[in-house]
Each structure stands twice: as C-alpha cells, then as structure tokens.
Amino acid sequence: MAEEVLSNLMSEDRSFPPSEDFAAGANATAALYDDAVSDREGFWAEQAGRLSWAAPWEQVLDWSDAPFAKWFTGGRLNVAYNCVDRHVEDGHGDQVAIHWVGEPGDSRDITYAELLAEVSRAANALSSLGLVAGDRVAIQLPMVPEAIVAMLACARLGLTHSVVFGGFSPAALRSRVEDAAARVVITSDGQYRRGSAAPMKENVDEALADLPVVEKVVVVRRTGTDVPWTEGRDLWWHDLVDAQPTEHTAEAFDAEHPLFILYTSGTTGRPKGILHTSGGYLTQAAYTHRVVFDHRPGEDVYWCTADIGWITGHTYIVYGPLANRATQVVYEGTPNTPNEGRHWEIVERYGVSIYYTAPTLIRTFMKWGAHIPAAFDLSSLRLLGSVGEPINPEAWLWYRENIGRGTTPIVDTWWQTETGAIMISPLPGVTAAKPGSAQRALPGIGARVVDETGAEVAKGSGGYLVLDQPWPSMLRGIWGDPERFRDTYWSRFADLGYYFAGDGAKYDADGDIWLLGRVDDVMNVSGHRISTTEVESALVSHPTVAEAAVVGASDPTTGQAIVAFVIARSGTAGPDGDRAEAVAALRDHVAKEIGPIAKPRQILIVPELPKTRSGKIMRRLLRDVAENREVGDVTTLADSSVMELISSGLRPAA
Ligand code: WTA
C-alpha cells in the first residue's frame, strides 16, 4: 500500500509560494530556523518567555534521565492563569474568547472576563469536593463550554484531567477511569448528535458500576433528558458551580506538574495513558499556534473543528489558542446538521479567518460538492490547516480552491498525541507549500527519516520517521508504565536516542518530508487511531467468534476503514441466510465494546486465517483481499491453500 501511495505522491510536483502580502505580515520568518539551530535551548527559552511565570526556570532542558525529559526545571506557572487571567489583567476582558455554537441552533459568546469568572467558580467547586493538586479528574462531555471550563478549572488547581471522547463506550470509559484512578467524573445528561439528543449520563453510570474509586459524578445539564441518579454521588454542575464565588487565586505549580493524561491506541489492546506536563507543553502549544496558524490576537477568528476528546482539541482548542488570546469558534455538532452548509454558514456568520480540520472531512466536503461552500461568503478565511492523516494532493487542491479561494496558504501539520503539539509543518509566509507534504520540522524541532539501522536515508528514499531531539511538549511517559514508554518509543533506535514515531515517511528531491501512514498495527480511521488488536479483542469477546484478524484497508473517505476476518465458533455459524444478521450483531458488539468509531466497515466470516508457520497472522494478505487486490506472496504461509479457501468462500455480507 505504501508503495502505491508513494508513487502517487511523488508524481505531485506543484508548489505554492506564499504571496508577498502574506509573507510581509507573517508571524514566522525564515530566520527562525537559523535561530533555533544556532542556539536551540535559547530559542525555546525565548518561546517560554512569552508565557507568564511565577518563578523563573533554572535549566531549559534536563535530559540527564533520558528518555524522561524535564523542561524549564524549577520554573513555576499556572496554566489556567496563562490562558485566561493574564488577558483580563492586560485589559482584554471584553474580548470574546469563545463563540460557542450549539447543534440545535443556540449560541453563546463568552468573553475572557466571563471565562475567568466561570473557571474560578468551577475551581472553587472542585476544591469544595476535597480535590487537591495531583488528583485525577475524568471528563466525558460533548462540545459545550463547560468542557473547556472544566479542563481549565483542573489546570488551575493542579488536578490532572483525563478527557475521554464522548463517543467512547462505557467499557472504554471504565478502563480509563480505573487506570488513572480518577476521584471525580464530569459528564452531561446527554449530547446532541445529528439532530437528536443521545444519552451520556447513562453510559457513565454503566461505566462506573461498582467502581469505588470514583467519589463524585458532576453532571452538566445539556439536553434536559431524564437521567438516573445516584444519591450521595451525583451532583448537578449548576447546583455545585453556580453558587460559588467568582474569585479564585491561581497557585503556581512546577513546570513539570502533570497537566493531563490522554489515552491513545497502541499496538496492543490496552490503550496508553499519554502524560503531558505544564511548562514545556504550554510553551510549544502557544508557539506552534502562533507561527503555524499565523495567529493574531484581537484580529483573527480561529476555528479548530476537532473534538476536545482528542489531542487536537486539547492543544488547538483549549491550551494553544487561549494562551495566545484567540477569539475562537467552538461548534458542538456534526457538519451536516441541519444541512451540509453548516460549517460555511458559521464561517460567514463569525468571519472565521483561520480554519483547521482533518482530511477525512475535506474529502467528505468534496463528496457533498463544491456548490455548497460556493453559496457562502468565505472571504474572511486567510489560512487553512489540516491534521490527522496524510492529505492527498487532490483534497489539498480542492480545499485551497473551494474553501481558500485559490489563495490561502494551507498548513499540513504532522504530530501525535505523544508529541503534544505540531512538529512538522510548512510555515505560512515562509514555505512554498507542496500539496500532500508536511515538508519540514518546525524551528526548534528535529525530525529525520531513517532506515532500519537508524542511518538517514537519501533524498528520494523512504524509511521511518524519527525525532532526534527532545522537544518541550513531548510526552513525559505512559501513566503508570515506564517500561512500556521505553519499549514503545525509545527501544527501536536506543543507541541513537531517537524517538520512534511509528510512521513511515520519505524525503523528496528537495529533502522535504512526505508522511506515508503508520508502520505498525495502528489504523487511522477518519483521523482516529484505532489498534487492530483492540478491535480483534472486542470481536473475540463475542460468544460466536473463535478467532479474528483485523486490517486497515484504504478507503476513499475515511483514509482507512476497518475490515475484520472472523472465524465463527463451531455450531454458531449460521447458514448463509443468517450471515448478514451475525455480521450486524458483531458490528454492534464492537461499537458497544469500544465505541461507534471502531465499528468495522466490513466483517467477513471465513473458514481459516492465513498464518505463518510460527502462527503469526499475515495481515498483508488479508489487506490484499480487503482492498480487492490480487493476493501477494504466500510462500511463508503454513498452509498455502488457505488464501484460496478464503477468497472462494467470500461473500461480503456488510
Ligand atoms: C497521523 C493527531 C500524515 C500519523 C494529531 C500520526 C498524520 C497519527 C498527520 C497521530 C499529517 C497526524 N500527515 N499523518 N499531517 N497528522 N497523522 O495521536 O500517523 O490522534 O502518527 O494525533 O496520525 O494521531 P493522533
């Protein structure tokens, strides 16, 4: 698959230099690259200096206990103070921080002064529950203002938040709450999705059944639906928060104080709790938001369409933009509710100037048709961004032409939950952009493409993407599992001290980087990371399944789609007529175990799975089947007739 992608990408040689106008006014300059090379730590110290510190740091970087980094050691700051209070103190209390748009059509504008009052109240409320710095709080909320307020209130108190995406199942929520031992869970009665109210509190109740570690559940009223109530444990947000005083003095915490844990899929079934801390994280979040999006406080209207349940929402809705005093749009719902013009209507209404989204959505917009955005005034847009997966040149060009009027720069930003902030991206106003390429490590960041031995590959060649220098917003570990942290990211090129990103990449003739997708068993479905093992475990937990193998097959809209091959337990495999039903039941089962995003596009019931003599499933061959290709080399199969058996017995049922 990678080779095919590669040859398509390599035939792409268009380049879009920045306009003179844009370059003249841009936050980023080419000199940044040189500054960062000549004095890397000085460069990062300068970026950190844009934040407000209660006590200065002694050392920019302490890498003596690598791969466990410490940035800005001894420095003290309050993250929420940096995101809210200081803007009010600087006289910008009346500036709108958040233009919130609810899916049903309600909306709220929240100024920085109002945000400060809300965050202070919420901080007082959480303190009143007996929470103290270092405690963990789990948050499962839709895209309502309270989600941002809750995260900032945690940050303000030094509570470590763990946000769990609203679409995750009770089982997925439970394992995350348990792993982090969260004392409090913040959720809502329900959420609006595609025009109707879906329950949320009920799922949380199911997740928390017999989980004594959770002392309180705080419930935001959003949909007004009836909810089950556990006396003594459950509290309404409005009862708890609204009566609190709007004054709260933020205490400073160590630069390395844990800010949040965010779980992400790895190559095994168990999600990893990625740990981020305070000073370095906020420094890089703010720096990248400023230079990559060319953001100007008080002038731009910024919109990142991610959900706060993902890292993009953490860094580019909450911490980066608010640290930079952005005015931003936060939209609760789906892009086609009530119609497919919803995003463009919002852009027009608020005069959005910076718009950041994912390739999967851009391809969906393409499918819906260019006439939809064409019906709106999008002239306020001056910069577009993309994140989550490689963007194919066709989608890039469509995006620029139909959303960006053929003029706006596009930043294709590569990064990960683990990196905390953008690592590889063009710089608007500096870089001549190439559709489909993230191009170059940002000033202050070190990335290279290497072969198996860690040697850098030549221009025009491909290999593994590694990060060869520590960076301020790097993960500080996997919650409770230092061994897994070393193994997953640092063991592959241990001698060289490189961070292994898990992505394939290639240099073009100019030395620009093109990302080629994951090289491990992690799938990327609509920009969401899902591990093949996780879906396989969900499938085999169903009583009718004996064995399962899952692959990510390329998909025109979602990038990759989940295709599962399942062997039924003897006696449970129905006759052909029942297959559709069996498959539907299995798809629902996966949704119940993990969440609807993990539902396989296709489930194929097969008599056998292709295995090597040592028993390892050959996913490569299954991918050939899933992508309707001729099956590749089968010589290492233990039983070479298996593929024929699979192919001849296939009657796709979903
Ligand atoms: C992929 C999302 C190509 C990549 C911020 C990475 C990308 C994984 C890009 C991280 C991009 C993200 N081009 N691939 N611009 N951005 N990826 O942790 O495979 O949800 O390893 O973080 O998404 O996904 P995560």
Side-chain angles (χ1 to χ4, degrees):
M1 188 197 77
E3 276 314 306
E4 238 171 77
V5 175
L6 208 66
S7 64
N8 286 341
L9 286 181
M10 289 305 117
S11 61
E12 177 56 61
D13 55 7
R14 279 162 289 201
S15 163
F16 297 83
S19 71
E20 267 173 40
D21 264 9
F22 200 105
N27 286 341
T29 58
L32 277 183
Y33 290 106
D34 303 328
D35 296 352
V37 168
S38 61
D39 178 8
R40 206 173 109 78
E41 294 195 4
F43 173 84
W44 282 117
E46 195 184 322
Q47 305 314 320
R50 295 173 179 274
L51 302 178
S52 169
W53 295 77
W57 58 86
E58 287 141 24
Q59 203 183 343
V60 172
L61 168 66
D62 176 2
W63 192 229
S64 58
D65 187 27
F68 297 91
K70 291 198 182 81
W71 282 85
F72 308 112
T73 59
R76 296 179 74 78
L77 80 171
N78 186 288
V79 169
Y81 174 85
N82 272 280
C83 291
V84 189
D85 306 44
R86 64 169 175 151
H87 307 318
V88 178
E89 289 171 11
D90 291 348
H92 300 289
D94 291 338
Q95 185 187 323
V96 172
I98 298 169
H99 290 296
W100 179 78
V101 183
E103 196 187 76
D106 47 343
S107 64
R108 250 178 94 184
D109 288 341
I110 302 168
T111 64
Y112 273 97
E114 288 164 346
L115 187 62
L116 175 58
E118 295 255 341
V119 171
S120 300
R121 270 201 209 108
N124 285 321
L126 293 177
S127 294
S128 78
L129 299 180
L131 291 166
V132 294
D135 285 343
R136 271 83 56 208
V137 172
I139 300 174
Q140 187 173 46
L141 278 172
M143 291 290 289
V144 290
E146 288 84 352
I148 297 170
V149 170
M151 289 166 76
L152 290 170
C154 287
R156 192 173 188 90
L157 296 172
L159 306 172
T160 303
H161 60 69
S162 163
V163 180
V164 179
F165 175 57
F168 272 126
S169 68
L173 173 62
R174 184 184 179 90
S175 68
R176 285 157 174 77
V177 168
E178 249 184 327
D179 187 71
R183 289 182 64 193
V184 166
V185 177
I186 304 177
T187 186
S188 72
D189 52 355
Q191 60 177 332
Y192 288 109
R193 243 22 225 167
R194 293 176 222 291
S196 58
M200 192 168 237
K201 167 74 162 58
E202 275 169 43
N203 295 347
V204 172
D205 282 346
E206 191 184 330
L208 303 186
D210 304 315
L211 205 61
V213 59
V214 175
E215 299 160 31
K216 297 286 177 208
V217 174
V218 181
V219 187
V220 173
R221 184 138 70 201
R222 173 59 185 136
T223 54
T225 28
D226 281 343
V227 290
W229 206 252
T230 304
E231 283 306 328
R233 187 197 67 177
D234 298 350
L235 297 160
W236 284 109
W237 170 279
H238 54 263
D239 287 343
L240 180 69
V241 175
D242 290 0
Q244 298 288 339
T246 55
E247 279 79 48
H248 180 272
T249 309
E251 181 195 334
F253 296 98
D254 191 90
E256 285 298 334
H257 189 78
L259 180 62
F260 66 86
I261 305 167
L262 185 60
Y263 288 83
T264 185
S265 290
T267 51
T268 73
R270 212 160 37 92
K272 302 175 288 203
I274 303 300
L275 174 67
H276 284 288
T277 59
S278 303
Y281 171 78
L282 194 64
T283 295
Q284 195 174 329
Y287 157 67
T288 51
H289 178 262
R290 194 175 77 82
V291 300
V292 175
F293 299 115
D294 193 45
H295 175 261
R296 280 172 226 158
E299 292 173 37
D300 278 307
V301 178
Y302 164 88
W303 183 11
C304 164
T305 70
D307 188 284
I308 50 133
W310 309 112
I311 190 68
T312 307
H314 283 58
T315 308
Y316 296 108
I317 294 177
V318 182
Y319 294 112
L322 294 178
N324 289 343
R325 187 166 51 86
T327 294
Q328 68 176 320
V329 167
V330 173
Y331 171 55
E332 178 185 39
T334 43
N336 51 351
T337 308
N339 61 59
E340 293 157 350
R342 189 68 191 266
H343 276 209
W344 317 125
E345 177 212 314
I346 293 173
V347 167
E348 184 181 284
R349 173 159 148 212
Y350 292 101
V352 171
S353 54
I354 304 169
Y355 178 81
Y356 187 34
T357 196
T360 186
L361 191 57
I362 299 165
R363 290 191 298 264
T364 304
F365 291 144
M366 288 172 75
K367 218 164 53 181
W368 290 344
H371 63 283
I372 293 174
F376 295 88
D377 178 6
L378 305 183
S379 60
S380 55
L381 288 170
R382 64 178 196 92
L383 186 133
L384 305 175
S386 170
V387 62
E389 55 173 315
I391 179 165
N392 44 313
E394 297 68 36
W396 196 103
L397 292 163
W398 187 94
Y399 194 27
R400 179 168 156 113
E401 206 43 51
N402 295 285
I403 309 301
R405 302 183 308 283
T407 58
T408 60
I410 296 182
V411 288
D412 174 7
T413 62
W414 179 90
W415 57 296
Q416 307 178 300
T417 305
E418 291 87 340
T419 69
I422 298 170
M423 302 293 282
I424 304 176
S425 168
L427 280 181
V430 176
T431 316
K434 297 175 181 175
S437 171
Q439 297 190 275
R440 191 169 166 190
L442 290 181
I445 300 299
R448 47 174 94 194
V449 182
V450 301
D451 65 16
E452 289 287 346
T453 69
E456 189 158 26
V457 302
K459 286 181 182 169
S461 303
Y464 302 109
L465 179 70
V466 298
L467 304 171
D468 59 3
Q469 313 239 34
W471 62 101
S473 66
M474 67 196 292
L475 75 166
R476 299 303 196 263
I478 295 177
W479 186 254
D481 203 344
E483 266 322 291
R484 195 174 177 199
F485 172 59
R486 284 180 194 278
D487 278 4
T488 310
Y489 306 107
W490 304 97
S491 62
R492 188 117 171 192
F493 300 106
D495 299 346
L496 296 158
Y498 292 166
Y499 168 92
F500 173 64
D503 277 43
K506 162 155 183 139
Y507 288 130
D508 66 15
D510 304 325
D512 280 325
I513 297 174
W514 297 68
L515 277 309
L516 303 174
R518 302 287 307 185
V519 294
D520 53 14
D521 290 334
V522 175
M523 298 173 287
N524 189 327
V525 182
S526 297
H528 300 150
R529 276 164 72 173
I530 301 166
S531 91
T532 51
T533 334
E534 213 175 337
V535 180
E536 286 165 4
S537 326
L539 284 165
V540 295
S541 74
H542 193 272
T544 63
V545 174
E547 218 179 326
V550 166
V551 298
S554 55
D555 183 281
T557 305
T558 59
Q560 281 189 309
I562 305 175
V563 178
F565 295 79
V566 161
I567 305 181
R569 269 183 206 282
S570 55
T572 60
D576 278 1
D578 292 342
R579 272 199 185 186
E581 216 172 284
V583 163
L586 285 178
R587 293 181 73 231
D588 288 346
H589 178 70
V590 173
K592 191 170 160 285
E593 287 295 305
I594 306 172
I597 53 166
K599 248 189 196 185
R601 178 186 73 186
Q602 228 177 336
I603 296 182
L604 305 165
I605 298 179
V606 294
E608 276 301 338
L609 290 172
K611 289 185 184 158
T612 61
R613 281 171 203 91
S614 60
K616 200 170 158 15
I617 293 173
M618 293 186 69
R619 287 210 177 76
R620 171 172 64 78
L621 300 179
L622 293 175
R623 215 170 288 129
D624 289 342
V625 174
E627 293 175 350
N628 297 317
R629 255 197 315 274
E630 200 169 317
V631 171
D633 182 12
V634 294
T635 48
T636 52
L637 275 181
D639 174 359
S640 59
S641 66
V642 165
M643 288 318 292
E644 246 165 70
L645 210 58
I646 291 178
S647 304
S648 66
L650 278 188
R651 221 159 300 149

